[in-house]
């Protein structure tokens, strides 16, 4: 293993100011999938956001990283820990992959790298993920990773003119350790 943050397909790295165009594409992809709808952000807004992310003081529990394809050096997505409760021992994470880069194993490998950090280095006990019930690909990915459906919040999310269920999935540190060896990446 050359780096804790590098696998066979992806390398996780901090966000750089020039990454703004990739994140603008990811936002458009998410909206097309029906996963996220936000008011439009200006090009300058994306530039400023990426610049702020690049200059932000690191937080070892809540952070967002760019997912870079090892083979091409291109940014293919983002992964991050969005909430963390160190006293309770849980964190919540999310992963997104640009439309043209899906189904190539990038999301799974990026998730394993992030989970390995949070479980082994930060000593968290549990990871949670919130997934829209209509996002079958994400539900399948998380099941393959070892997440278990823990509940369904019925019609919690209003999106595209209707209410949708939100699926809560979770994985414990010992479940992760049983499924994902340190040498697999």
């Amino acid at each position: 293993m050359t780096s804790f943050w590098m696998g066979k397909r992806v390398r996780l790295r901090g966000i750089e100011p020039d990454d703004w165009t990739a994140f603008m594409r990811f936002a458009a992809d998410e909206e097309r999938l029906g996963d996220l709808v936000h008011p439009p952000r200006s090009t300058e807004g994306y530039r400023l956001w990426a610049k702020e992310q690049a200059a932000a003081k690191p937080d070892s529990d809540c952070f967002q990283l760019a997912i870079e394809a090892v083979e091409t050096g291109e940014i293919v997505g983002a992964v991050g820990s969005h909430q963390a409760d160190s006293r309770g021992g849980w964190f919540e994470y999310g992963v997104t992959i640009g439309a043209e880069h899906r189904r190539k194993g990038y999301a799974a490998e990026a998730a394993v790298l992030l989970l390995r950090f949070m479980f082994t280095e930060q000593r968290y006990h549990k990871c949670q993920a919130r997934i829209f019930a209509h996002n079958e690909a994400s539900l399948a990915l998380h099941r393959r990773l070892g997440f278990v459906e823990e509940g369904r919040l019925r019609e919690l999310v209003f999106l595209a003119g209707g209410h949708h269920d939100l699926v809560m999935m979770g994985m414990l540190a010992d479940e992760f350790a049983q499924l994902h060896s340190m040498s697999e990446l």
Side-chain angles (χ1 to χ4, degrees):
M1 179 173 74
T2 56
S3 166
F4 192 89
W5 299 103
M6 188 167 173
K8 292 177 181 141
R9 293 180 194 94
V10 301
R11 177 174 77 98
L12 303 185
R13 64 166 177 78
I15 296 169
E16 297 291 345
D18 289 341
D19 294 341
W20 68 271
T21 56
F23 282 91
M24 190 165 67
R25 281 194 316 275
F26 302 151
D29 290 344
E30 294 293 329
E31 186 175 338
R32 275 193 294 279
L33 277 177
D35 277 355
L36 295 173
V37 178
H38 295 289
R41 185 188 289 181
S42 68
T43 299
E44 185 60 22
Y46 281 100
R47 279 189 193 116
L48 288 172
W49 176 85
K51 188 176 180 180
E52 288 168 2
Q53 291 294 307
K57 181 180 177 204
D59 179 341
S60 60
D61 293 333
C62 292
F63 53 89
Q64 187 167 10
L65 300 170
I67 303 170
E68 188 177 271
V70 169
E71 192 174 291
T72 64
E74 182 180 4
I75 298 174
V76 298
V79 65
S81 169
H82 305 296
Q83 287 187 314
D85 179 342
S86 59
R87 187 176 190 292
W90 64 267
F91 68 98
E92 193 169 299
Y93 102 108
V95 61
T96 188
I97 300 293
E100 69 273 19
H101 303 290
R102 292 189 181 124
R103 304 208 186 280
K104 296 180 181 176
Y106 296 143
E109 193 171 273
V112 169
L113 287 167
L114 178 126
L115 293 169
R116 183 179 65 186
F117 173 72
M118 295 299 283
F119 286 140
T120 64
E121 298 300 313
Q122 299 303 97
R123 300 186 195 131
Y124 277 92
H125 175 68
K126 181 177 183 176
C127 177
Q128 297 182 155
R130 298 171 184 243
I131 303 165
F132 295 121
H134 63 271
N135 191 337
E136 290 296 329
S138 186
L139 291 169
L141 165 70
H142 283 84
R143 287 184 189 110
R144 280 193 314 274
L145 289 172
F147 280 79
V148 175
E149 185 172 327
E150 297 184 333
R152 181 176 292 256
L153 302 174
R154 297 178 312 133
E155 297 188 3
L156 180 72
V157 179
F158 186 81
L159 185 65
H163 288 90
H164 302 274
D165 292 358
L166 187 68
V167 178
M168 298 298 296
M169 298 190 86
M171 179 189 292
L172 302 177
D174 61 342
E175 294 167 338
F176 177 82
Q178 289 174 6
L179 294 171
H180 303 282
S181 71
M182 288 296 285
S183 63
E184 91 178 49
L185 294 172

Short mmCIF file of all heavy atoms in Angstrom, two decimals, residues 50-111:
data_model
loop_
_atom_site.label_atom_id
_atom_site.label_comp_id
_atom_site.label_asym_id
_atom_site.label_seq_id
_atom_site.Cartn_x
_atom_site.Cartn_y
_atom_site.Cartn_z
N ALA A 50 -15.06 25.98 -3.80
CA ALA A 50 -13.87 25.14 -3.92
C ALA A 50 -12.66 25.81 -3.28
O ALA A 50 -11.86 25.15 -2.60
CB ALA A 50 -13.58 24.80 -5.38
N LYS A 51 -12.54 27.12 -3.45
CA LYS A 51 -11.44 27.85 -2.84
C LYS A 51 -11.53 27.79 -1.31
O LYS A 51 -10.53 27.59 -0.63
CB LYS A 51 -11.46 29.30 -3.33
CG LYS A 51 -10.26 30.11 -2.91
CD LYS A 51 -10.32 31.51 -3.51
CE LYS A 51 -9.12 32.32 -3.09
NZ LYS A 51 -9.14 33.66 -3.64
N GLU A 52 -12.74 27.94 -0.77
CA GLU A 52 -12.94 27.85 0.67
C GLU A 52 -12.63 26.44 1.19
O GLU A 52 -12.01 26.28 2.24
CB GLU A 52 -14.38 28.22 1.03
CG GLU A 52 -14.68 29.69 0.87
CD GLU A 52 -16.18 29.98 0.95
OE1 GLU A 52 -17.00 29.05 1.17
OE2 GLU A 52 -16.54 31.17 0.77
N GLN A 53 -13.07 25.41 0.45
CA GLN A 53 -12.79 24.03 0.84
C GLN A 53 -11.29 23.76 0.88
O GLN A 53 -10.78 23.11 1.77
CB GLN A 53 -13.47 23.05 -0.11
CG GLN A 53 -14.97 23.02 -0.01
CD GLN A 53 -15.44 22.49 1.32
OE1 GLN A 53 -15.04 21.41 1.75
NE2 GLN A 53 -16.29 23.23 1.98
N ALA A 54 -10.60 24.29 -0.15
CA ALA A 54 -9.15 24.08 -0.24
C ALA A 54 -8.40 24.74 0.91
O ALA A 54 -7.37 24.24 1.36
CB ALA A 54 -8.63 24.60 -1.57
N ALA A 55 -8.93 25.86 1.40
CA ALA A 55 -8.26 26.62 2.46
C ALA A 55 -8.78 26.29 3.86
O ALA A 55 -8.21 26.75 4.84
CB ALA A 55 -8.43 28.12 2.20
N ALA A 56 -9.83 25.48 3.94
CA ALA A 56 -10.44 25.20 5.24
C ALA A 56 -9.49 24.42 6.15
O ALA A 56 -8.73 23.58 5.70
CB ALA A 56 -11.73 24.41 5.05
N LYS A 57 -9.58 24.73 7.43
CA LYS A 57 -8.78 24.00 8.43
C LYS A 57 -9.30 22.57 8.49
O LYS A 57 -10.50 22.34 8.58
CB LYS A 57 -8.95 24.68 9.79
CG LYS A 57 -8.15 24.03 10.88
CD LYS A 57 -8.36 24.75 12.20
CE LYS A 57 -7.59 24.00 13.27
NZ LYS A 57 -8.14 24.24 14.59
N PRO A 58 -8.41 21.59 8.44
CA PRO A 58 -8.85 20.19 8.46
C PRO A 58 -9.60 19.85 9.74
O PRO A 58 -9.25 20.29 10.83
CB PRO A 58 -7.54 19.40 8.39
CG PRO A 58 -6.53 20.35 7.88
CD PRO A 58 -6.97 21.72 8.31
N ASP A 59 -10.65 19.08 9.58
CA ASP A 59 -11.42 18.55 10.70
C ASP A 59 -11.37 17.03 10.53
O ASP A 59 -11.83 16.51 9.53
CB ASP A 59 -12.87 19.05 10.65
CG ASP A 59 -13.72 18.49 11.78
OD1 ASP A 59 -13.33 17.48 12.39
OD2 ASP A 59 -14.78 19.06 12.05
N SER A 60 -10.81 16.34 11.48
CA SER A 60 -10.59 14.90 11.32
C SER A 60 -11.86 14.08 11.41
O SER A 60 -11.84 12.89 11.12
CB SER A 60 -9.58 14.41 12.35
OG SER A 60 -10.07 14.65 13.66
N ASP A 61 -12.98 14.68 11.79
CA ASP A 61 -14.22 13.92 11.91
C ASP A 61 -15.26 14.26 10.84
O ASP A 61 -16.05 13.41 10.48
CB ASP A 61 -14.83 14.13 13.29
CG ASP A 61 -13.96 13.52 14.39
OD1 ASP A 61 -13.23 12.56 14.10
OD2 ASP A 61 -14.01 14.00 15.52
N CYS A 62 -15.29 15.49 10.37
CA CYS A 62 -16.22 15.90 9.32
C CYS A 62 -15.42 16.56 8.21
O CYS A 62 -14.76 17.57 8.45
CB CYS A 62 -17.27 16.86 9.87
SG CYS A 62 -18.40 16.09 11.04
N PHE A 63 -15.49 16.00 7.03
CA PHE A 63 -14.67 16.49 5.92
C PHE A 63 -15.23 15.98 4.60
O PHE A 63 -16.02 15.03 4.58
CB PHE A 63 -13.22 16.03 6.08
CG PHE A 63 -13.09 14.55 6.26
CD1 PHE A 63 -12.97 13.71 5.18
CD2 PHE A 63 -13.09 14.00 7.54
CE1 PHE A 63 -12.86 12.34 5.34
CE2 PHE A 63 -12.98 12.63 7.71
CZ PHE A 63 -12.86 11.80 6.62
N GLN A 64 -14.83 16.60 3.52
CA GLN A 64 -15.19 16.15 2.19
C GLN A 64 -13.90 16.04 1.38
O GLN A 64 -13.03 16.91 1.46
CB GLN A 64 -16.16 17.11 1.51
CG GLN A 64 -16.67 16.58 0.19
CD GLN A 64 -17.85 17.37 -0.34
OE1 GLN A 64 -18.20 18.41 0.17
NE2 GLN A 64 -18.48 16.84 -1.36
N LEU A 65 -13.80 14.96 0.61
CA LEU A 65 -12.61 14.70 -0.19
C LEU A 65 -13.00 14.47 -1.64
O LEU A 65 -14.08 13.95 -1.93
CB LEU A 65 -11.88 13.45 0.33
CG LEU A 65 -11.40 13.51 1.77
CD1 LEU A 65 -10.91 12.14 2.21
CD2 LEU A 65 -10.32 14.57 1.94
N ALA A 66 -12.10 14.83 -2.53
CA ALA A 66 -12.28 14.52 -3.95
C ALA A 66 -11.85 13.07 -4.17
O ALA A 66 -10.91 12.59 -3.55
CB ALA A 66 -11.44 15.46 -4.80
N ILE A 67 -12.57 12.39 -5.06
CA ILE A 67 -12.20 11.04 -5.48
C ILE A 67 -11.57 11.16 -6.85
O ILE A 67 -12.19 11.62 -7.80
CB ILE A 67 -13.44 10.11 -5.56
CG1 ILE A 67 -14.18 10.05 -4.23
CG2 ILE A 67 -13.02 8.71 -6.03
CD1 ILE A 67 -15.54 9.35 -4.32
N GLU A 68 -10.32 10.77 -6.93
CA GLU A 68 -9.56 10.88 -8.17
C GLU A 68 -9.28 9.48 -8.72
O GLU A 68 -8.87 8.60 -7.97
CB GLU A 68 -8.25 11.59 -7.85
CG GLU A 68 -7.40 11.96 -9.02
CD GLU A 68 -6.16 12.72 -8.56
OE1 GLU A 68 -6.22 13.95 -8.46
OE2 GLU A 68 -5.14 12.06 -8.28
N ALA A 69 -9.53 9.28 -10.02
CA ALA A 69 -9.22 7.99 -10.65
C ALA A 69 -7.71 7.85 -10.75
O ALA A 69 -7.03 8.74 -11.27
CB ALA A 69 -9.86 7.91 -12.03
N VAL A 70 -7.17 6.76 -10.24
CA VAL A 70 -5.73 6.53 -10.27
C VAL A 70 -5.22 6.51 -11.71
O VAL A 70 -4.18 7.09 -12.02
CB VAL A 70 -5.37 5.22 -9.53
CG1 VAL A 70 -3.93 4.82 -9.78
CG2 VAL A 70 -5.65 5.34 -8.04
N GLU A 71 -5.95 5.84 -12.58
CA GLU A 71 -5.51 5.64 -13.96
C GLU A 71 -5.40 6.94 -14.75
O GLU A 71 -4.48 7.12 -15.54
CB GLU A 71 -6.48 4.68 -14.66
CG GLU A 71 -5.99 4.18 -15.99
CD GLU A 71 -6.93 3.13 -16.54
OE1 GLU A 71 -6.99 2.03 -15.96
OE2 GLU A 71 -7.59 3.43 -17.55
N THR A 72 -6.35 7.87 -14.53
CA THR A 72 -6.39 9.08 -15.36
C THR A 72 -6.07 10.37 -14.61
O THR A 72 -5.80 11.39 -15.23
CB THR A 72 -7.79 9.26 -15.97
OG1 THR A 72 -8.74 9.46 -14.91
CG2 THR A 72 -8.19 8.06 -16.81
N GLY A 73 -6.15 10.35 -13.28
CA GLY A 73 -5.95 11.57 -12.49
C GLY A 73 -7.17 12.48 -12.50
O GLY A 73 -7.15 13.56 -11.92
N GLU A 74 -8.26 12.03 -13.11
CA GLU A 74 -9.48 12.83 -13.21
C GLU A 74 -10.31 12.70 -11.94
O GLU A 74 -10.39 11.62 -11.34
CB GLU A 74 -10.30 12.34 -14.42
CG GLU A 74 -11.56 13.12 -14.66
CD GLU A 74 -12.33 12.60 -15.87
OE1 GLU A 74 -11.92 11.60 -16.48
OE2 GLU A 74 -13.35 13.22 -16.19
N ILE A 75 -10.96 13.78 -11.54
CA ILE A 75 -11.88 13.73 -10.39
C ILE A 75 -13.16 13.06 -10.86
O ILE A 75 -13.78 13.51 -11.82
CB ILE A 75 -12.19 15.13 -9.85
CG1 ILE A 75 -10.93 15.81 -9.36
CG2 ILE A 75 -13.22 15.04 -8.72
CD1 ILE A 75 -11.15 17.24 -8.96
N VAL A 76 -13.53 11.98 -10.18
CA VAL A 76 -14.70 11.21 -10.58
C VAL A 76 -15.84 11.32 -9.57
O VAL A 76 -16.95 10.87 -9.85
CB VAL A 76 -14.33 9.73 -10.82
CG1 VAL A 76 -13.33 9.61 -11.96
CG2 VAL A 76 -13.80 9.07 -9.55
N GLY A 77 -15.58 11.91 -8.41
CA GLY A 77 -16.62 12.01 -7.40
C GLY A 77 -16.11 12.65 -6.13
O GLY A 77 -15.02 13.24 -6.09
N ALA A 78 -16.92 12.50 -5.08
CA ALA A 78 -16.58 13.05 -3.77
C ALA A 78 -17.11 12.10 -2.70
O ALA A 78 -18.11 11.41 -2.89
CB ALA A 78 -17.18 14.43 -3.60
N VAL A 79 -16.43 12.10 -1.57
CA VAL A 79 -16.83 11.29 -0.43
C VAL A 79 -16.53 12.10 0.83
O VAL A 79 -15.58 12.88 0.85
CB VAL A 79 -16.10 9.91 -0.41
CG1 VAL A 79 -14.61 10.08 -0.22
CG2 VAL A 79 -16.70 8.97 0.63
N GLY A 80 -17.34 11.92 1.84
CA GLY A 80 -17.07 12.67 3.06
C GLY A 80 -17.89 12.21 4.24
O GLY A 80 -18.89 11.51 4.10
N SER A 81 -17.44 12.62 5.40
CA SER A 81 -18.16 12.42 6.65
C SER A 81 -18.87 13.74 6.96
O SER A 81 -18.22 14.77 7.05
CB SER A 81 -17.16 12.07 7.75
OG SER A 81 -17.79 12.13 9.01
N HIS A 82 -20.18 13.67 7.09
CA HIS A 82 -20.96 14.91 7.21
C HIS A 82 -21.41 15.23 8.63
O HIS A 82 -21.65 16.37 8.95
CB HIS A 82 -22.18 14.84 6.29
CG HIS A 82 -21.80 14.55 4.88
ND1 HIS A 82 -21.04 15.41 4.12
CD2 HIS A 82 -22.03 13.49 4.10
CE1 HIS A 82 -20.84 14.89 2.94
NE2 HIS A 82 -21.42 13.72 2.90
N GLN A 83 -21.56 14.21 9.43
CA GLN A 83 -21.91 14.41 10.83
C GLN A 83 -21.10 13.40 11.63
O GLN A 83 -20.85 12.30 11.15
CB GLN A 83 -23.40 14.14 11.08
CG GLN A 83 -24.32 15.20 10.55
CD GLN A 83 -25.76 14.92 11.01
OE1 GLN A 83 -26.22 13.78 10.93
NE2 GLN A 83 -26.43 15.93 11.47
N ALA A 84 -20.76 13.78 12.83
CA ALA A 84 -20.02 12.86 13.68
C ALA A 84 -20.32 13.17 15.14
O ALA A 84 -20.38 14.33 15.53
CB ALA A 84 -18.52 12.96 13.42
N ASP A 85 -20.53 12.14 15.90
CA ASP A 85 -20.74 12.26 17.34
C ASP A 85 -19.69 11.37 18.01
O ASP A 85 -19.87 10.16 18.14
CB ASP A 85 -22.15 11.80 17.70
CG ASP A 85 -22.46 11.87 19.19
OD1 ASP A 85 -21.51 11.94 20.00
OD2 ASP A 85 -23.65 11.83 19.54
N SER A 86 -18.58 11.98 18.40
CA SER A 86 -17.47 11.20 18.95
C SER A 86 -17.85 10.57 20.30
O SER A 86 -17.38 9.48 20.62
CB SER A 86 -16.22 12.05 19.09
OG SER A 86 -16.46 13.16 19.92
N ARG A 87 -18.68 11.23 21.06
CA ARG A 87 -19.09 10.67 22.35
C ARG A 87 -19.96 9.44 22.13
O ARG A 87 -19.78 8.42 22.77
CB ARG A 87 -19.85 11.70 23.17
CG ARG A 87 -20.15 11.24 24.58
CD ARG A 87 -20.83 12.35 25.38
NE ARG A 87 -20.94 12.08 26.77
CZ ARG A 87 -21.70 11.14 27.33
NH1 ARG A 87 -22.39 10.33 26.57
NH2 ARG A 87 -21.77 11.00 28.63
N GLY A 88 -20.90 9.53 21.20
CA GLY A 88 -21.77 8.39 20.90
C GLY A 88 -21.08 7.34 20.02
O GLY A 88 -21.54 6.21 19.93
N GLY A 89 -20.02 7.75 19.34
CA GLY A 89 -19.26 6.81 18.53
C GLY A 89 -19.82 6.56 17.14
O GLY A 89 -19.54 5.52 16.55
N TRP A 90 -20.61 7.47 16.61
CA TRP A 90 -21.17 7.26 15.27
C TRP A 90 -20.86 8.45 14.37
O TRP A 90 -20.61 9.55 14.82
CB TRP A 90 -22.68 7.02 15.33
CG TRP A 90 -23.47 8.19 15.84
CD1 TRP A 90 -23.85 8.41 17.13
CD2 TRP A 90 -23.96 9.30 15.08
NE1 TRP A 90 -24.55 9.60 17.22
CE2 TRP A 90 -24.63 10.16 15.98
CE3 TRP A 90 -23.90 9.66 13.74
CZ2 TRP A 90 -25.23 11.35 15.57
CZ3 TRP A 90 -24.49 10.84 13.33
CH2 TRP A 90 -25.16 11.67 14.25
N PHE A 91 -20.89 8.17 13.07
CA PHE A 91 -20.74 9.21 12.07
C PHE A 91 -21.63 8.88 10.88
O PHE A 91 -22.09 7.74 10.73
CB PHE A 91 -19.27 9.37 11.63
CG PHE A 91 -18.73 8.21 10.85
CD1 PHE A 91 -18.68 8.24 9.46
CD2 PHE A 91 -18.25 7.08 11.51
CE1 PHE A 91 -18.18 7.16 8.75
CE2 PHE A 91 -17.74 6.01 10.80
CZ PHE A 91 -17.71 6.05 9.42
N GLU A 92 -21.87 9.88 10.07
CA GLU A 92 -22.68 9.71 8.87
C GLU A 92 -21.82 10.10 7.68
O GLU A 92 -21.04 11.05 7.77
CB GLU A 92 -23.90 10.61 8.96
CG GLU A 92 -24.96 10.31 7.94
CD GLU A 92 -26.25 11.05 8.24
OE1 GLU A 92 -26.84 10.82 9.32
OE2 GLU A 92 -26.64 11.86 7.39
N TYR A 93 -21.95 9.37 6.60
CA TYR A 93 -21.10 9.66 5.45
C TYR A 93 -21.94 9.66 4.18
O TYR A 93 -23.09 9.21 4.17
CB TYR A 93 -19.97 8.64 5.36
CG TYR A 93 -20.19 7.57 4.33
CD1 TYR A 93 -19.44 7.55 3.16
CD2 TYR A 93 -21.16 6.59 4.50
CE1 TYR A 93 -19.65 6.58 2.20
CE2 TYR A 93 -21.36 5.62 3.56
CZ TYR A 93 -20.62 5.62 2.40
OH TYR A 93 -20.84 4.67 1.44
N GLY A 94 -21.36 10.17 3.10
CA GLY A 94 -22.00 10.13 1.80
C GLY A 94 -20.95 10.04 0.71
O GLY A 94 -19.79 10.43 0.90
N VAL A 95 -21.37 9.54 -0.44
CA VAL A 95 -20.48 9.40 -1.59
C VAL A 95 -21.28 9.73 -2.85
O VAL A 95 -22.46 9.41 -2.94
CB VAL A 95 -19.86 7.99 -1.66
CG1 VAL A 95 -20.91 6.90 -1.80
CG2 VAL A 95 -18.82 7.89 -2.76
N THR A 96 -20.66 10.41 -3.77
CA THR A 96 -21.28 10.68 -5.07
C THR A 96 -20.24 10.49 -6.16
O THR A 96 -19.07 10.80 -5.97
CB THR A 96 -21.88 12.11 -5.13
OG1 THR A 96 -22.62 12.24 -6.33
CG2 THR A 96 -20.82 13.18 -5.06
N ILE A 97 -20.71 9.96 -7.28
CA ILE A 97 -19.84 9.72 -8.42
C ILE A 97 -20.49 10.38 -9.63
O ILE A 97 -21.70 10.26 -9.83
CB ILE A 97 -19.65 8.20 -8.68
CG1 ILE A 97 -19.02 7.51 -7.47
CG2 ILE A 97 -18.84 7.95 -9.95
CD1 ILE A 97 -17.59 7.90 -7.17
N GLY A 98 -19.67 11.06 -10.44
CA GLY A 98 -20.18 11.69 -11.65
C GLY A 98 -20.81 10.66 -12.58
O GLY A 98 -20.36 9.52 -12.65
N ALA A 99 -21.84 11.06 -13.31
CA ALA A 99 -22.64 10.15 -14.13
C ALA A 99 -21.79 9.30 -15.07
O ALA A 99 -22.01 8.10 -15.21
CB ALA A 99 -23.68 10.94 -14.92
N GLU A 100 -20.81 9.90 -15.71
CA GLU A 100 -20.00 9.16 -16.69
C GLU A 100 -19.00 8.20 -16.04
O GLU A 100 -18.36 7.41 -16.74
CB GLU A 100 -19.28 10.12 -17.65
CG GLU A 100 -18.18 10.93 -17.02
CD GLU A 100 -18.62 12.24 -16.37
OE1 GLU A 100 -19.82 12.40 -16.07
OE2 GLU A 100 -17.75 13.10 -16.14
N HIS A 101 -18.90 8.23 -14.73
CA HIS A 101 -17.92 7.39 -14.02
C HIS A 101 -18.57 6.31 -13.15
O HIS A 101 -17.86 5.60 -12.44
CB HIS A 101 -17.00 8.26 -13.16
CG HIS A 101 -16.29 9.30 -13.93
ND1 HIS A 101 -15.28 9.01 -14.83
CD2 HIS A 101 -16.45 10.65 -13.97
CE1 HIS A 101 -14.84 10.13 -15.38
NE2 HIS A 101 -15.54 11.14 -14.87
N ARG A 102 -19.88 6.20 -13.22
CA ARG A 102 -20.57 5.23 -12.37
C ARG A 102 -20.37 3.81 -12.87
O ARG A 102 -20.09 3.58 -14.04
CB ARG A 102 -22.06 5.57 -12.30
CG ARG A 102 -22.28 6.87 -11.56
CD ARG A 102 -23.73 7.15 -11.28
NE ARG A 102 -23.80 8.43 -10.59
CZ ARG A 102 -24.51 9.46 -11.00
NH1 ARG A 102 -25.26 9.36 -12.07
NH2 ARG A 102 -24.48 10.59 -10.33
N ARG A 103 -20.54 2.86 -11.94
CA ARG A 103 -20.46 1.43 -12.21
C ARG A 103 -19.06 0.97 -12.63
O ARG A 103 -18.90 0.05 -13.41
CB ARG A 103 -21.50 1.00 -13.24
CG ARG A 103 -22.91 1.39 -12.83
CD ARG A 103 -23.95 0.49 -13.40
NE ARG A 103 -25.28 0.95 -13.11
CZ ARG A 103 -25.95 0.77 -11.95
NH1 ARG A 103 -25.34 0.18 -10.95
NH2 ARG A 103 -27.17 1.21 -11.79
N LYS A 104 -18.05 1.63 -12.07
CA LYS A 104 -16.66 1.25 -12.33
C LYS A 104 -15.92 0.88 -11.05
O LYS A 104 -14.71 0.69 -11.06
CB LYS A 104 -15.93 2.40 -13.04
CG LYS A 104 -16.51 2.72 -14.41
CD LYS A 104 -15.78 3.85 -15.07
CE LYS A 104 -16.42 4.15 -16.42
NZ LYS A 104 -15.80 5.31 -17.06
N GLY A 105 -16.65 0.82 -9.92
CA GLY A 105 -16.04 0.45 -8.65
C GLY A 105 -15.47 1.61 -7.86
O GLY A 105 -14.92 1.41 -6.78
N TYR A 106 -15.59 2.83 -8.38
CA TYR A 106 -15.02 3.99 -7.69
C TYR A 106 -15.71 4.27 -6.36
O TYR A 106 -15.04 4.54 -5.35
CB TYR A 106 -15.12 5.24 -8.56
CG TYR A 106 -14.33 5.20 -9.85
CD1 TYR A 106 -14.83 5.79 -11.00
CD2 TYR A 106 -13.07 4.60 -9.93
CE1 TYR A 106 -14.11 5.78 -12.19
CE2 TYR A 106 -12.35 4.58 -11.11
CZ TYR A 106 -12.87 5.17 -12.23
OH TYR A 106 -12.16 5.16 -13.40
N ALA A 107 -17.04 4.23 -6.34
CA ALA A 107 -17.78 4.54 -5.10
C ALA A 107 -17.45 3.54 -4.01
O ALA A 107 -17.20 3.92 -2.86
CB ALA A 107 -19.28 4.58 -5.37
N ALA A 108 -17.44 2.25 -4.35
CA ALA A 108 -17.17 1.22 -3.35
C ALA A 108 -15.78 1.38 -2.76
O ALA A 108 -15.60 1.34 -1.54
CB ALA A 108 -17.33 -0.17 -3.97
N GLU A 109 -14.79 1.59 -3.61
CA GLU A 109 -13.43 1.71 -3.11
C GLU A 109 -13.25 2.98 -2.28
O GLU A 109 -12.62 2.95 -1.22
CB GLU A 109 -12.43 1.69 -4.26
CG GLU A 109 -11.02 1.50 -3.77
CD GLU A 109 -10.04 1.25 -4.90
OE1 GLU A 109 -9.87 0.09 -5.30
OE2 GLU A 109 -9.45 2.24 -5.36
N ALA A 110 -13.83 4.10 -2.72
CA ALA A 110 -13.73 5.34 -1.96
C ALA A 110 -14.41 5.19 -0.60
O ALA A 110 -13.88 5.64 0.42
CB ALA A 110 -14.35 6.50 -2.75
N ALA A 111 -15.56 4.53 -0.58
CA ALA A 111 -16.27 4.32 0.69
C ALA A 111 -15.43 3.48 1.64
O ALA A 111 -15.32 3.81 2.83
CB ALA A 111 -17.62 3.66 0.43
#
